[in-house]
Amino acid sequence: MLAIRSGTLCASVLVLALLGACDAPPPGMPAPEAAATNSPDCVTLAEGLYEFNDGQFLAVSAATLALSGASGWEGEMQTAFTGAGFPWMGLKVRDRVATLIGTAPSADAKAAALSVGEAAIAAHPEAGRAGLIVVDAISVEGGERGVGESLALLADTGASLESCQRAFTDTMAGRNVTFESGNARISPVSARLLDAVTGVATLCSQFVVEIGGHTDSRGADDYNLELSQARADAVRAYLVSKGVSEDALLSVGYGETAPLNPAPTPEAYDQNRRTEFKVIAR
């Protein structure tokens, strides 16, 4: 473990956590004063790579470090975006998540910028090896917000149980994972939404995420329970295929047992047929 006294590190420094404890400094380091061992300022970190930013320790992966540092990576991409005619588009990189940000003047401009941004990231020699998840957080001026907007905010603020749950909730607000009728095959139109969800799960890897599948009240109870479980399993499989650890994800089918709106109307059916994400401490 690595014991860090508050105030000893500045923002944006990378820390390699070593084995040990607050009262057992790394080899070659002087022993801390006795009073420091039990100090509330003594922070114990699990072994791994961290970035100390704005008073918080944020876990990062070796893949992130392989990108020659976030500032260099983002700067290269910004130059490419500007050269392609999209100076309003930017990039945030955290762990394996690359979030395209900015406000597009029109929906057509956004679509063109996303295409350019994704192609530029894919063509970067180091980014390809890092296996980045590219997420759309671009808004349209006077129109829709980017599906990854909450993910971009999470990348700035850091991951706590509360901020992770808020990111999932805000990402899904007014949106839903779409499946083919009567089965658990995910529609391609949900790819960008699920990529944003994958990004949140990646940044919140210190927690477990429950994927809850819900159906409306039409059909037999047993069938709805089975269908909701299959759909939750399908979402879990999508996130795992994008690199989220299997042991960080639970899939639970609730069938029709937890409706948001019990009314027998098309509007209620749409509300009740949903996928939810719940963040749980390990």
Side-chain angles (χ1 to χ4, degrees):
M1 303 296 193
L2 180 66
I4 305 295
R5 294 295 305 278
S6 66
T8 60
L9 292 177
C10 298
S12 298
V13 286
L14 289 170
V15 180
L16 175 60
L18 306 173
L19 294 176
C22 285
D23 56 352
M29 296 291 290
E33 299 177 3
T37 302
N38 298 317
S39 167
D41 293 335
C42 183
V43 179
T44 303
L45 302 176
E47 183 179 10
L49 293 166
Y50 296 82
E51 179 182 1
F52 186 78
N53 194 354
D54 236 6
Q56 299 184 71
F57 289 101
L58 305 174
V60 298
S61 69
T64 303
L65 300 182
L67 294 174
S68 304
S71 59
W73 164 245
E74 292 170 6
E76 290 177 22
M77 290 299 98
Q78 188 63 66
T79 299
F81 299 161
T82 300
F86 305 105
W88 47 264
M89 182 168 66
L91 178 72
K92 288 185 179 180
V93 179
R94 170 70 66 193
D95 203 349
R96 295 187 307 104
V97 184
T99 309
L100 292 166
I101 60 174
T103 301
S106 68
D108 287 344
K110 171 178 174 173
L114 280 173
S115 179
V116 166
E118 290 171 337
I121 293 170
H124 192 284
E126 296 178 0
R129 291 195 299 271
L132 294 175
I133 304 161
V134 182
V135 178
D136 163 26
I138 298 174
S139 299
V140 176
E141 188 174 343
E144 67 172 7
R145 312 298 296 176
V147 68
E149 186 176 57
S150 296
L151 171 63
L153 180 61
L154 180 67
D156 286 337
T157 61
S160 65
L161 193 148
E162 292 76 16
S163 64
C164 288
Q165 184 61 69
R166 183 166 56 252
F168 277 117
T169 301
D170 291 348
T171 298
M172 296 303 296
R175 304 182 178 99
N176 205 354
V177 180
T178 303
F179 300 89
E180 294 183 7
S181 179
N183 63 58
R185 286 190 290 273
I186 299 172
S187 169
V189 301
S190 290
R192 290 205 182 276
L193 173 59
L194 285 178
D195 286 346
V197 167
T198 299
V200 176
T202 299
L203 298 191
C204 298
S205 59
Q206 66 267 50
F207 304 108
V208 173
V209 178
E210 179 193 283
I211 304 165
H214 299 263
T215 68
D216 57 45
S217 59
R218 294 173 295 181
D221 293 355
D222 290 348
Y223 172 79
N224 285 337
L225 192 62
E226 181 179 340
L227 178 61
S228 66
Q229 183 65 57
R231 288 179 169 178
D233 289 342
V235 172
R236 181 178 185 272
Y238 186 98
L239 269 62
V240 169
S241 75
K242 293 287 186 173
V244 181
S245 174
E246 291 189 31
D247 63 8
L249 300 169
L250 298 174
S251 53
V252 181
Y254 290 95
E256 59 185 83
T257 63
L260 295 176
N261 186 341
T265 64
E267 293 76 17
Y269 297 149
D270 287 342
Q271 287 179 298
N272 296 332
R273 194 171 53 249
R274 67 197 189 277
T275 303
E276 295 182 330
F277 299 87
K278 181 181 178 181
V279 181
I280 305 168
R282 289 182 185 268

